[in-house]
Structures are given as C-alpha cells and as structure tokens.
Amino acid sequence: MSSDASSTASTASTAATDASAINGSPKRVLLTGATGYIAGQLLPGFRERYDLRLVDVAPGPGVEVVDLLETPVEELAPLFEGVDVVVHTAYQRPAGEDSQARYDTERRNVDLMQRVYQLAVDHGVSRVVAASTNQAAKWYEQPYFQGRRDRVTPEDYPRPDSFYGWAKAAYESLGFLYACGSLGRALEVIQLRIVVPREIDPELFVDQPAHRYVRELAGYISERDLRQLFVKSIETPDIADEYGVPFHIFYGVSDNARKFWSITNAREVIGYQPQDDSERRFAADIARLLHG
C-alpha cells in the first residue's frame, strides 16, 4: 500500500473507532438472522460494542422471533425505529434441489432484502450492511484458474453461476437503487461478498484437484477479520463514493498471499486491515497437500 493509502486507511480506522458511539451512546444495531452462522461469528464482538436488537425466525438467547417477510409491514416498524444500522444476515434455504425450487426461494430472499431496505428508509435508519457472497461473481473463477484472468474486483460486472449468486447480485443492484437517492432519501448501503468464512479442513481436499484447495486458501477469512470488516462497515462515517453515492461492495477475505479477490477498496474506504493470512494459518497443511 502506498503511504497515501496507508494514511487514508489509518484515518478511516480512527474515524470508525470514534463512530462506534453516537453522543456517547453505543450505536443501535438491528441484526437479522441472529441465530445463523455468520451472526454467530459477529455476536461476541457486537455484544461488547453495540446496543443490539436481534431478530430471526428461529429462537435464541435474546432473539426476537420475527418473520420479516411474512409479518405485516406496519407491525415491523417498531423493530426499525431508533436503529442506526441494520446488519442483514438473514437467509432462507431452498426447500428443494430442483431449479424451480431454488429460484423460488432465492426470489423470496431478494424480496426480504428489499423489505429491509424499504423499512430502513421509512424509519430513519442510516445504513444497511448486508452479507453478500463472492458467488455474485463466482463465474470469474473459471478464467482465473485457466490463467486468463489475474484478479476479480467489486467493479467487475456480476456473473453468478447459481440462483444463490444471482440473488446476492440482486441484493447489490437493489442496494444501489436505494443508495443513489432516486427513491427519496439516500440510504447508505454496504454489501460484503464473503468468500470462505470458516476454518479449512485439509482432509476434505486430500483426493481433490489442487486448485480446489488453493481456492479455499485464497478465499479464507478469519473470524477476527470478518468481525473487523463488519465493524468498520458499520462505523466508518463517510462512505460516499467518487460520485457522492453512499454505496460499496467489499470482498470478505483475509490478507491471504493467494487471494485473487481485490480488497483494495475496502482498505481505502473503511480502513480494513486484515490481520490473518491463510498461508501462515495453514502452513503445515499446505506443505503436506501441495508440496508433499
């Protein structure tokens, strides 16, 4: 990183720390999908940092059981009133394996995302930070592993290769619509394309082609880096882009030596400074599987 970029990152990091509270009070954060996998990694840090409101369709400690899609919209207003930031990790899994079932469920997930955006706008929420996925542009992995492409950036045109990825790409384009101001008040929107938010089990790749293991190493994000990415997405005060639109897509990976998803804009806009590298974290497994 250049000295200018380092200075920008440092400034954004300091500003984000200062922004964890408003007028001396912690930010009020509504976390959807609060019993899910991603939320489970976020909550230990969130509980210490924010005034939290937790919702999910499944019960859990401190969780309000609410179906954000089926509940009449007027009954949801109290959930959003007084909230500073919505962190949206809620997700409905497909009820079947065929294409139509997958499409129908993902269409509902898009509807759920739109409802969150609209409720946020209607009730004065400043920002929505949503869990997206690299699968919004996963097709690019094909030319990458063919040696025809060196990097995938958030600015690349979305190219999903599944209904799941298509839905996340729809989350993003809907987010820009709400952020650009054409519907009224500009909602601040950040979409986080998370890649591999889990520890990598080497035994799953013993008899697999090497590129499959390399892909996991490239996309790995540690729990502390994932939490940092969300925290800085929540707290960085000014996220307007060069056109003044408060909208960004950031890739969620650690500072992996093998990464091919760009995190340059996350470094520059919110001061993301990942601490981990899969090359060090899994060094012994890499030596055995790739060089043994």
Side-chain angles (χ1 to χ4, degrees):
M1 186 187 301
S2 69
S3 58
D4 288 345
S6 298
S7 176
T8 300
S10 176
T11 300
S13 177
T14 301
T17 300
D18 293 342
S20 62
I22 298 176
N23 298 325
S25 301
K27 278 184 178 290
R28 187 86 187 274
V29 173
L30 171 63
L31 176 62
T32 72
T35 68
Y37 178 72
I38 294 298
Q41 296 187 61
L42 301 177
L43 276 171
F46 277 21
R47 290 187 190 279
E48 298 176 356
R49 199 171 186 98
Y50 304 124
D51 177 6
L52 282 177
R53 189 157 203 178
L54 310 178
V55 297
D56 204 321
V57 293
V63 175
E64 298 177 60
V65 178
V66 180
D67 188 325
L68 292 174
L69 194 54
E70 296 298 331
T71 302
V73 68
E74 61 272 11
E75 295 180 20
L76 296 174
L79 286 177
F80 288 77
E81 289 172 354
V83 168
D84 299 304
V85 179
V86 176
V87 176
H88 181 62
T89 69
Y91 174 72
Q92 295 187 9
R93 297 188 180 279
E97 294 299 319
D98 62 283
S99 293
Q100 190 62 49
R102 289 180 178 275
Y103 170 77
D104 290 341
T105 303
E106 296 301 348
R107 177 68 176 270
R108 287 176 58 80
N109 282 316
V110 174
D111 290 343
L112 176 58
M113 183 78 261
Q114 186 274 335
R115 177 168 266 205
V116 168
Y117 286 142
Q118 190 62 53
L119 282 162
V121 167
D122 290 344
H123 298 287
V125 177
S126 297
R127 184 174 301 180
V128 172
V129 178
S132 184
T133 174
N134 67 294
Q135 293 200 41
K138 191 172 185 296
W139 178 87
Y140 287 111
E141 293 182 27
Q142 296 183 41
Y144 175 82
F145 283 112
Q146 293 167 359
R148 300 174 61 192
R149 190 180 184 95
D150 294 325
R151 182 74 60 178
V152 180
T153 77
E155 289 74 33
D156 290 320
Y157 189 81
R159 289 187 175 179
D161 62 3
S162 67
F163 285 116
Y164 175 62
W166 162 79
K168 296 296 191 178
Y171 284 22
E172 295 171 355
S173 59
L174 268 173
F176 185 85
L177 174 61
Y178 277 91
C180 74
S182 64
L183 300 179
R185 178 174 68 88
L187 178 68
E188 298 172 359
V189 175
I190 292 178
Q191 291 279 340
L192 300 178
R193 288 184 178 174
I194 304 166
V195 187
V196 181
R198 58 184 175 272
E199 296 303 289
I200 302 170
D201 182 356
E203 300 310 313
L204 298 176
F205 301 93
V206 169
D207 297 319
Q208 297 295 318
H211 78 271
R212 294 188 179 176
Y213 184 49
V214 169
R215 188 263 178 194
E216 296 291 290
L217 296 171
Y220 172 73
I221 184 167
S222 66
E223 186 170 313
R224 67 174 175 174
D225 286 345
L226 180 69
R227 196 175 301 145
Q228 180 201 156
L229 184 62
F230 270 89
V231 164
K232 290 190 172 182
S233 294
I234 290 168
E235 297 178 9
T236 300
D238 183 4
I239 62 165
D241 67 9
E242 66 269 35
Y243 305 109
V245 179
F247 174 85
H248 290 281
I249 298 168
F250 302 134
Y251 272 106
V253 296
S254 287
D255 194 22
N256 306 318
R258 299 175 189 261
K259 68 180 179 297
F260 55 86
W261 295 276
S262 174
I263 58 173
T264 298
N265 67 331
R267 293 184 191 275
E268 293 178 347
V269 176
I270 60 171
Y272 178 48
Q273 297 175 318
Q275 302 299 300
D276 295 304
D277 179 353
S278 60
E279 206 73 11
R280 296 193 299 269
R281 173 70 182 85
F282 306 106
D285 296 333
I286 291 169
R288 177 166 60 91
L289 287 179
L290 297 183
H291 305 298

Coordinates of all heavy atoms in Angstrom, one line a residue, residues 42 49 54 107 180 202 233 247 257 287:
L42 N -20.1 -12.9 14.5 CA -20.1 -11.5 14.8 C -20.5 -11.1 16.2 O -20.0 -10.1 16.8 CB -21.1 -10.8 13.8 CG -20.8 -10.9 12.3 CD1 -21.9 -10.2 11.5 CD2 -19.5 -10.3 12.0
R49 N -19.9 -4.0 21.9 CA -19.7 -2.8 21.2 C -21.0 -2.0 20.9 O -21.0 -0.7 20.8 CB -19.0 -3.1 19.9 CG -18.3 -1.9 19.2 CD -17.5 -2.4 18.0 NE -16.7 -1.3 17.5 CZ -15.4 -1.1 17.8 NH1 -14.8 -1.9 18.6 NH2 -14.8 0.0 17.2
L54 N -31.8 -8.2 18.2 CA -31.6 -9.4 17.5 C -32.9 -10.0 17.0 O -33.8 -10.2 17.8 CB -30.9 -10.5 18.3 CG -29.6 -10.0 19.0 CD1 -29.0 -11.1 19.9 CD2 -28.6 -9.5 18.0
R107 N -35.8 -16.0 -4.8 CA -36.7 -14.8 -5.1 C -37.2 -14.3 -3.8 O -37.3 -13.0 -3.6 CB -37.8 -15.2 -6.0 CG -38.8 -14.1 -6.4 CD -38.2 -13.0 -7.2 NE -39.2 -12.0 -7.5 CZ -40.0 -12.1 -8.6 NH1 -39.9 -13.1 -9.5 NH2 -40.9 -11.2 -8.9
C180 N -28.7 5.6 -4.3 CA -28.4 6.7 -5.2 C -29.4 7.9 -5.0 O -29.2 8.9 -5.6 CB -28.5 6.2 -6.7 SG -30.1 5.8 -7.3
P202 N -8.3 -29.8 6.0 CA -7.5 -30.3 4.9 C -7.9 -31.6 4.4 O -7.7 -32.0 3.2 CB -6.1 -30.3 5.5 CG -6.3 -30.4 7.0 CD -7.5 -29.6 7.2
S233 N -17.5 -1.5 8.5 CA -18.6 -1.1 7.6 C -19.7 -0.4 8.3 O -20.4 0.4 7.7 CB -19.1 -2.4 6.9 OG -18.1 -3.0 6.0
F247 N -22.6 3.9 -1.4 CA -22.8 2.5 -1.8 C -21.4 1.9 -2.1 O -20.6 2.5 -2.8 CB -23.7 2.4 -3.0 CG -23.8 1.0 -3.5 CD1 -24.7 0.1 -2.9 CD2 -23.0 0.5 -4.5 CE1 -24.9 -1.2 -3.4 CE2 -23.1 -0.8 -5.0 CZ -24.0 -1.7 -4.4
A257 N -2.0 -14.6 0.9 CA -1.0 -14.5 -0.1 C -1.6 -14.9 -1.5 O -1.2 -14.4 -2.5 CB 0.2 -15.3 0.2
A287 N 2.0 -27.4 3.2 CA 3.2 -28.2 2.9 C 2.9 -29.7 2.6 O 3.5 -30.3 1.7 CB 4.2 -28.1 4.1

